[in-house]
């Protein structure tokens, strides 16, 4: 990381190809899980209210699915129980 990189501005995000850092990915996952726990689940388009880029939202959802923390059933994203 260069000394002049903040990691958050449009320039820095574009420079790294908008791939979320591990910290960003963890924070995004936490935001999604919090939203789902508050709403009891939602259709995927409702996650747009989290204001994440498509790439970051997809990466976080992929991680949560891979870790079996969420699932999609009947078109609704829900937290897995257990």
């Amino acid at each position: 990381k260069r000394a002049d990189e903040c990691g958050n501005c449009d320039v820095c995000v574009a420079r790294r190809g908008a791939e979320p850092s591990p910290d960003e990915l963890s924070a995004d996952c936490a935001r999604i899980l919090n939203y789902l726990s508050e709403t009891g689940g939602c259709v995927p388009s409702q996650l747009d209210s989290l204001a994440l880029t498509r790439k970051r939202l997809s990466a976080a959802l992929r991680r949560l699915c891979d870790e079996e923390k969420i699932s999609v059933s009947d078109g609704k994203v829900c937290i897995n129980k257990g």
Side-chain angles (χ1 to χ4, degrees), residues 38-54:
E38 289 176 357
T39 61
C42 68
V43 294
S45 63
Q46 289 175 296
L47 294 171
D48 290 343
S49 67
L50 297 175
L52 297 171
T53 64
R54 285 279 170 218

Side-chain angles (χ1 to χ4, degrees), residues 1-73:
K1 183 173 178 177
R2 295 178 8 191
D4 62 338
E5 288 182 349
C6 71
N8 295 317
C9 71
D10 292 342
V11 173
C12 289
V13 169
R15 190 176 288 145
R16 71 170 187 260
E19 288 293 330
S21 70
D23 289 341
E24 289 172 328
L25 186 56
S26 293
D28 294 345
C29 288
R31 286 179 63 198
I32 291 168
L33 289 173
N34 185 52
Y35 182 83
L36 293 174
S37 70
E38 289 176 357
T39 61
C42 68
V43 294
S45 63
Q46 289 175 296
L47 294 171
D48 290 343
S49 67
L50 297 175
L52 297 171
T53 64
R54 285 279 170 218
K55 197 169 215 173
R56 285 179 61 169
L57 181 61
S58 294
L61 290 173
R62 194 172 320 111
R63 174 188 268 186
L64 291 169
C65 283
D66 289 348
E67 294 175 353
E68 298 182 359
K69 292 183 178 178
I70 64 168
S71 59
V72 179
S73 179

